[in-house]
């Protein structure tokens, strides 16, 4: 029984073993099929993920690039970029903003120039001042044994000779050229047309006499017996001090600036207070009375060692040109015994007497309103851009322009506060007293136009920033200056320091011997003249010190004239060549120029075209109009850059489709090989072999490396990955690699596992 049971058990066990082997092979095949399916799904997923990732990265890069470009455009337009800003929206905003800026600044520039021209009549003012100056300054007076003019006065004797001869003859004329007497009204005029506004004023500024032993002066011991009195360089006088006055025996006491209604002034040699000892000469004085007064003051030694300056003020008005003229003759009495004459002529207008002056006032108000609007616009841009606002050099120029406008406005307000009450007052002019300091008023008026002339540089310089929107040649020059800004600024700083260095050298070496270098400022001014004009005072310098002059002039010419000045030209030339060679231009400026040119030409033809238009002209105008409307429509605005971008995207998409088709062909080939491999394995009982050894890629190593693969020539059915069969125009076959983008006539090599080669 045991053997039978055992035998049946053995046979049954053997049968069950064969059944389990068949079921195991079927299970293995099912597992292989599932593995192939998973491999195919993974392969398709890998391909789709790769394509989607590349497209996502490219789209993100393109979106980020467009967003950056949009932010730059909005920054150029002076606006802050929103989170969801569109490139096309930024382009439209930029165009509109630039059009508004150009038109607005063009109107501002026109108003500024017109206002300046209406308020400043330079031609009449120059002729007026030149006529009076020629009589006062060039009329000779006798000085034994020859004649002198105002500019040749050097001593106190010359001063009194001038006051006794030229002043009475010029200001107090009584007869015509044919010896007819003047009327009372004609006696109040100068040169027959200029009315004397108020009494003449003769004012002296003095200093105190102190002991030389008070510690303020250093006197050598051996000279102290000869120097008891000294005179400090100040004009603080005690209130009870006096000098001789007019008429005799009047005493002339010291009066402050508030009492005299006068202001201090700065001359070539010093600063003089507004107070002093003043004599007001009535307008109705005769020539004899004035001459007697000057003779009496001279006899009383009215000027002495305490005198620091004497000022003689003359104030005239020309009713034909509405010009006031302030004339001050200043005589500076120096500590070294010389009298230095200085003249001041200031012509200005006060009040509003004509339509031109009212028009000028209206234009001036409009100009300052425009300035406020420009400031508000820049404030909004600063708020939107933050620190990036100050990276633009033109914004710093704007800041300087606004600052100068406010300075000139402050002087203008001060001038109006003083002048308007004087002009509109119903009180008759006082012929015996000088009630207004016309010299100070003329100085304020001159400061208005000094700052305005200085500001015109900034105003017109700011207009140059818009030149790139007018013409490509102007754009090249604008870009050249913009790119040379840093280098030229550094060069100007170096030139300034070199000027200071050589100014000190020439001042120390030749300040005593050569008049052009007598002060530090004069010495620096001469350096600029030497650089710009080549005027180096060679003869005077060589006469003073030939060796030192040769050395300093040689260094100056090498460093400044031939070095630094030439470097500026080299910088501009280099930057201009770079701009011209590289063709640097703003695409938005180019688009703006073309659009404005077409618009202006179309408007001009519509307004001034008198000839009969042909059908061709009408057709072209309609086409241009339609094209401009398409350009101006935000939804249809597609410029050349956007078309180029679309073409690039289409090219990349075609390339991805080609690569995908090549990968699909390769996948089909591998699926066929895998199917053949599985059928061979099933027939030979070689289950469980990995399908990855069926064949290998071209880049995985040749048979020399592994020894299990055989190299075969590819054909239409079997090609390595990324290869495909193509035909040329003549029908010849060639093979193209979609990755390396290379082609060849011979079939590419395919490595097949040797057990699959029959």
């Amino acid at each position: 029984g045991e053997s039978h049971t055992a035998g049946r058990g053995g046979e049954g066990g053997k049968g069950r073993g064969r059944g389990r082997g068949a079921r195991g092979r079927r299970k293995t095949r099912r597992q292989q099929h599932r593995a192939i399916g998973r491999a195919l799904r993974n392969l398709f997923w890998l391909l789709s993920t790769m394509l989607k990732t590349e497209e996502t990265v490219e789209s993100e890069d393109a979106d980020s690039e467009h967003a950056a470009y949009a932010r730059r455009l909005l920054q150029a337009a002076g606006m802050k970029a929103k989170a969801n800003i569109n490139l096309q929206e930024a382009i439209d905003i930029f165009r509109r903003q630039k059009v508004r800026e150009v038109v607005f600044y063009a109107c501002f520039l026109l108003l500024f120039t017109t206002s300046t021209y209406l308020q400043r009549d330079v031609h009449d003012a120059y002729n007026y001042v030149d006529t009076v100056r020629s009589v006062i300054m060039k009329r000779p007076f006798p000085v034994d044994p020859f004649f002198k003019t105002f500019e040749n006065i050097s001593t106190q004797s010359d001063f009194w000779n001038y006051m006794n001869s030229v002043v009475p003859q010029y200001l107090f004329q009584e007869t015509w050229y044919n010896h007819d007497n003047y009327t009372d009204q004609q006696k109040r005029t100068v040169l027959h047309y200029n009315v004397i506004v108020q009494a003449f004023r003769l004012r002296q500024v003095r200093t105190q006499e102190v002991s030389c032993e008070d510690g303020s002066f250093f006197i050598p011991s051996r000279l102290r017996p000869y120097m008891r009195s000294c005179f400090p360089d100040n004009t603080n006088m005690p209130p009870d001090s006096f000098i001789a006055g007019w008429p005799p025996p009047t005493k002339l006491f010291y009066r402050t600036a508030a009492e005299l209604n006068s202001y201090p002034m700065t001359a070539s040699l010093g600063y003089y207070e507004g107070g002093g000892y003043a004599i007001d000469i009535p307008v109705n004085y005769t020539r004899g009375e004035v001459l007697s007064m000057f003779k009496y003051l001279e006899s009383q030694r009215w000027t002495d060692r305490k005198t620091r300056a004497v000022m003689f003020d003359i104030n005239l008005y020309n009713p034909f040109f509405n010009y006031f003229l302030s004339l001050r003759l200043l005589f500076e009495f120096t500590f070294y015994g010389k009298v230095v004459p200085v003249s001041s002529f200031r012509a200005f207008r006060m009040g509003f007497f004509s339509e031109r002056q009212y028009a000028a006032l209206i234009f001036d108000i409009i100009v300052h309103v425009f300035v406020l609007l420009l400031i508000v616009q820049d404030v909004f841009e600063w708020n939107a851009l933050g620190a990036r606002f100050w990276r633009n050099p033109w914004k710093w120029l704007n800041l300087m322009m606004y600052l100068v406008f406010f300075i000139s406005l402050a002087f203008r307000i001060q001038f109006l506060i003083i002048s308007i009450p004087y002009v509109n007052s119903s009180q008759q002019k006082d012929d015996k007293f000088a009630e207004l300091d016309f010299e100070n008023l003329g100085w304020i008026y001159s400061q208005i136009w000094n700052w305005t002339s200085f500001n015109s540089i900034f105003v017109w310089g700011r207009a140059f920033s818009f030149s790139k929107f007018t013409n490509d040649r102007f754009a090249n020059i604008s870009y050249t200056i913009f790119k040379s800004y840093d280098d030229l600024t550094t060069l100007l700083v170096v030139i300034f320091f070199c000027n200071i260095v050589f100014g000190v050298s020439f001042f120390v070496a030749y300040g005593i011997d050569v008049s052009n270098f007598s002060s530090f400022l004069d010495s620096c001014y001469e350096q600029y003249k030497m650089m710009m004009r080549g005027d180096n005072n060679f003869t005077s310098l060589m006469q003073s010190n030939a060796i030192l002059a040769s050395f300093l002039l040689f260094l100056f010419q090498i460093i400044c004239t031939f070095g630094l000045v030439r470097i500026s030209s080299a910088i501009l030339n280099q930057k201009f060549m770079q701009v011209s060679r590289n063709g640097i231009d703003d695409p938005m400026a180019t688009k703006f120029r073309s659009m404005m040119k077409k618009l202006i030409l179309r408007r001009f033809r519509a307004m001034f075209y008198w000839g009969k238009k042909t059908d061709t002209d009408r057709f072209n105008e309609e086409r241009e109009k339609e094209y401009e409307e398409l350009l101006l429509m935000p939804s249809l605005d597609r410029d050349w850059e956007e078309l180029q971008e679309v073409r690039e995207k289409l090219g990349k998409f075609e390339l991805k489709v080609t690569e995908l088709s090549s990968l699909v062909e390769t996948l089909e080939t591998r699926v066929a090989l895998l199917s053949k491999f599985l059928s061979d394995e099933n027939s030979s009982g070689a289950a469980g072999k990995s399908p990855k050894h069926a064949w290998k890629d071209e880049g995985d190593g040749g048979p020399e490396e592994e020894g299990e693969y055989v190299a075969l020539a590819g054909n239409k059915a079997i090609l390595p990955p990324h290869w495909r069969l193509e035909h040329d125009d003549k029908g010849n076959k060639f093979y193209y690699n979609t990755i390396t983008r290379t082609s060849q006539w011979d079939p590419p090599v395919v490595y097949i596992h040797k057990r699959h080669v029959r």
Side-chain angles (χ1 to χ4, degrees), residues 105 108-109 112-113 116-117 397 400-402 404-405 408 448-464:
Y105 200 84
F108 168 71
L109 196 62
F112 174 79
T113 306
T116 304
Y117 175 77
L397 187 65
M400 295 297 298
M401 181 178 67
Y402 303 149
V404 175
F405 260 113
S408 63
I448 295 173
W449 295 108
N450 289 341
W451 286 101
T452 302
S453 63
F454 184 61
N455 200 24
S456 62
I457 300 175
F458 296 120
V459 173
W460 284 94
R462 180 66 178 89
F464 191 73

Side-chain angles (χ1 to χ4, degrees), residues 156 159 201-209 231-238 241-243 252-257 260 262-267 269-279 302-313 328-335 437:
Q156 294 194 31
F159 163 72
R201 171 166 286 181
L202 182 66
R203 179 164 63 98
Q204 180 181 166
V205 179
R206 298 171 62 84
T207 186
Q208 301 184 56
E209 181 179 357
F231 305 93
D233 189 14
N234 61 68
T235 57
N236 295 324
M237 299 299 297
S241 61
F242 62 90
I243 57 177
L252 196 62
F253 287 91
Y254 173 82
R255 288 185 289 178
T256 62
L260 294 175
S262 59
Y263 294 85
M265 69 171 298
T266 302
L269 299 180
Y271 172 82
Y272 305 104
E273 64 166 343
Y277 303 84
I279 299 177
W302 197 67
T303 58
D304 52 18
R305 293 198 298 173
K306 299 179 183 179
T307 303
R308 295 276 66 83
V310 175
M311 306 172 193
F312 187 67
D313 294 337
R328 171 167 289 182
L329 302 180
L330 172 65
F331 304 89
E332 298 182 89
F333 290 71
T334 61
F335 287 111
D437 190 351

Side-chain angles (χ1 to χ4, degrees), residues 448-493:
I448 295 173
W449 295 108
N450 289 341
W451 286 101
T452 302
S453 63
F454 184 61
N455 200 24
S456 62
I457 300 175
F458 296 120
V459 173
W460 284 94
R462 180 66 178 89
F464 191 73
S465 63
F466 300 101
S467 61
K468 65 180 181 179
F469 297 103
T470 59
N471 189 287
D472 55 349
R473 290 181 291 272
F474 281 108
N476 289 339
I477 296 176
S478 177
Y479 295 140
T480 300
I481 296 176
F482 186 80
K483 289 183 173 296
S484 306
Y485 172 77
D486 295 335
D487 296 334
L488 291 178
T489 302
T490 305
L491 181 63
L492 288 177
V493 173

Side-chain angles (χ1 to χ4, degrees), residues 82-98:
K82 296 179 291 186
N84 55 349
I85 187 64
N86 187 8
L87 178 60
Q88 186 58 45
E89 183 182 357
I91 293 174
D92 296 334
I93 294 174
F94 177 84
R95 288 177 182 171
R96 291 193 297 268
Q97 186 72 13
K98 285 303 175 183

Side-chain angles (χ1 to χ4, degrees), residues 506-518 540-541 543-545:
F506 280 94
F507 169 66
V508 172
Y510 301 100
I512 299 177
D513 301 327
V514 183
S515 60
N516 292 338
F517 302 95
S518 58
S540 301
L541 295 176
Q543 290 176 354
S544 177
N545 191 331

Side-chain angles (χ1 to χ4, degrees), residues 684-698:
S684 60
K689 294 294 183 179
S690 175
K692 69 178 181 179
H693 297 288
W695 75 322
K696 73 183 292 294
D697 291 337
E698 185 178 357

Side-chain angles (χ1 to χ4, degrees), residues 622-639:
E622 292 296 330
R623 290 291 301 274
E624 290 180 0
K625 186 176 180 180
E626 292 176 359
Y627 180 70
E628 290 176 1
E629 290 177 354
L630 290 176
L631 287 179
L632 294 175
M633 290 177 60
S635 59
L636 298 178
D637 192 1
R638 295 293 183 266
D639 53 9

